[in-house]
C-alpha cells in the first residue's frame, strides 16, 4: 500500500496504484459482530441544536470479534496501517491509535460524518442521501448551503444472501435493519485528517455496512 496526501479535503489516504500510474483509494473489509452503533435516521427533533453541530454528526458502527484470533489479526493489521501512515506523516504529527473495547474484548470503531464543509471540497458535488438515511428529512433540514453530503459521507447499507443457486447476492436495505449482535462486514478506508495543534488523526471511515445472513 501507499500513502498520498490530497488537498480536497486536506487528508492522507491509503491507496493502491497500477502500472499506468493511476490510483484509487483502497477499501478494506472488517468482519465482526455489531456491538455498538449510532446509525441513521437521526431521531432527535431539536433542529436548532443539530444545526450547531451538523459538521460533526456521524454514523457509527463498532465491531468486535469477542477475542477470536481472526479479529485479533484484523486489529494488528490496522496497527500496521497506522505505522505506515505514521512513517509517512511523522510520528510527532499523527496521534496514536488503539483499538476500542467491548466487555473486555477488543473492538474497532468505524464512522462517517454526514457532511463535509463545502469549502473543503469546492470541486465536489453533493450526493443524495442513501435509502432510509434521512427518512424524516432531518439532515436535509440542517444541511444549509455550507455543507454537502459527499464522497466521504456516503455509507451503503446492504444485506448479503444466497439465491436459489447458492450465488452470493447483495441488496440495499435501510440502516434500521441492523441490530446489536448481528454478524456484519464493514467496508472501510483509512484516512488521516488534520486536527488541532498541527497534528493529524487516523480515522477508520465507514463506506458500507453489510448484514451477513
Amino acid at each position: 500500500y501507499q500513502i498520498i496526501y490530497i488537498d480536497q479535503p486536506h487528508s492522507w489516504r491509503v491507496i493502491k496504484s497500477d502500472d499506468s500510474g493511476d490510483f484509487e483509494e483502497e477499501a478494506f473489509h472488517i468482519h465482526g459482530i455489531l456491538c455498538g452503533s449510532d446509525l441513521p435516521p437521526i431521531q432527535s427533533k431539536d433542529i436548532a441544536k443539530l444545526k450547531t453541530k451538523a459538521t460533526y454528526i456521524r454514523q457509527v458502527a463498532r465491531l468486535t470479534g469477542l477475542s477470536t484470533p481472526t479479529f485479533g489479526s484484523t486489529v494488528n493489521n490496522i496497527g500496521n496501517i497506522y505505522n505506515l501512515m505514521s512513517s509517512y506523516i511523522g510520528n510527532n504529527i499523527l496521534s496514536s491509535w488503539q483499538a476500542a473495547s467491548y466487555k473486555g474484548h477488543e473492538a474497532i470503531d468505524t464512522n462517517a460524518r454526514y457532511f463535509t464543509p463545502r469549502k473543503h471540497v469546492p470541486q465536489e458535488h453533493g450526493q443524495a442521501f442513501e435509502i432510509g438515511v434521512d427518512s424524516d428529512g432531518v439532515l436535509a433540514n440542517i444541511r444549509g448551503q455550507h455543507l454537502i453530503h459527499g464522497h466521504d459521507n456516503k455509507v451503503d447499507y446492504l444485506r448479503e444472501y444466497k439465491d436459489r443457486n447458492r450465488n452470493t447476492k447483495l441488496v440495499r436495505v435501510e440502516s434500521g435493519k441492523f441490530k446489536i449482535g448481528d454478524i456484519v462486514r464493514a467496508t472501510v478506508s483509512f484516512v488521516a485528517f488534520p486536527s488541532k495543534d498541527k497534528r493529524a488523526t487516523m480515522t477508520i471511515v465507514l463506506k458500507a455496512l453489510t448484514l451477513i445472513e
Side-chain angles (χ1 to χ4, degrees):
Y1 303 118
Q2 296 176 267
I3 308 297
I4 63 165
Y5 173 79
I6 64 173
D7 60 4
Q8 290 190 18
H10 294 298
S11 56
W12 294 265
R13 297 173 186 253
V14 181
I15 63 155
K16 61 180 178 181
S17 57
D18 56 31
D19 294 336
S20 68
D22 293 333
F23 66 86
E24 63 179 349
E25 190 169 5
E26 183 66 279
F28 300 83
H29 300 299
I30 301 172
H31 293 82
I33 301 167
L34 188 66
C35 63
S37 68
D38 188 356
L39 301 177
I42 293 177
Q43 302 298 321
S44 174
K45 303 302 181 184
D46 191 342
I47 300 300
K49 184 177 180 180
L50 289 172
K51 282 185 175 180
T52 64
K53 57 180 183 179
T55 304
Y56 306 101
I57 301 172
R58 61 192 72 201
Q59 38 205 324
V60 177
R62 173 176 287 186
L63 277 62
T64 184
L66 299 178
S67 298
T68 59
T70 300
F71 196 82
S73 295
T74 298
V75 172
N76 290 337
N77 290 337
I78 294 175
N80 292 335
I81 291 172
Y82 168 82
N83 291 335
L84 180 65
M85 275 197 165
S86 183
S87 64
Y88 184 90
I89 299 171
N91 294 331
N92 60 333
I93 296 177
L94 188 63
S95 299
S96 61
W97 177 87
Q98 63 181 19
S101 64
Y102 171 74
K103 295 185 177 180
H105 304 284
E106 287 185 315
I108 298 170
D109 283 339
T110 71
N111 72 81
R113 293 186 179 185
Y114 287 106
F115 300 114
T116 298
R118 187 179 296 275
K119 65 181 181 181
H120 293 168
V121 285
Q123 305 301 321
E124 187 174 339
H125 296 290
Q127 302 183 30
F129 294 113
E130 296 68 38
I131 179 173
V133 168
D134 194 32
S135 53
D136 296 328
V138 174
L139 294 172
N141 201 344
I142 67 175
R143 175 170 46 192
Q145 297 299 313
H146 66 294
L147 299 173
I148 68 166
H149 182 70
H151 169 76
D152 284 335
N153 315 118
K154 177 180 172 62
V155 178
D156 292 316
Y157 293 97
L158 307 167
R159 178 173 64 87
E160 182 179 287
Y161 69 98
K162 300 286 188 181
D163 66 13
R164 64 179 62 184
N165 297 317
R166 305 304 295 169
N167 296 314
T168 300
K169 301 289 186 179
L170 290 173
V171 62
R172 292 186 180 275
V173 297
E174 295 191 6
S175 57
K177 296 290 186 180
F178 291 83
K179 308 298 181 185
I180 299 301
D182 285 341
I183 298 175
V184 299
R185 178 176 63 247
T187 302
V188 304
S189 61
F190 293 89
V191 185
F193 293 104
S195 54
K196 295 180 179 179
D197 302 322
K198 297 183 178 180
R199 294 180 63 82
T201 302
M202 186 181 81
T203 301
I204 304 177
V205 178
L206 183 62
K207 311 299 291 184
L209 192 63
T210 303
L211 180 63
I212 307 297
E213 295 189 348

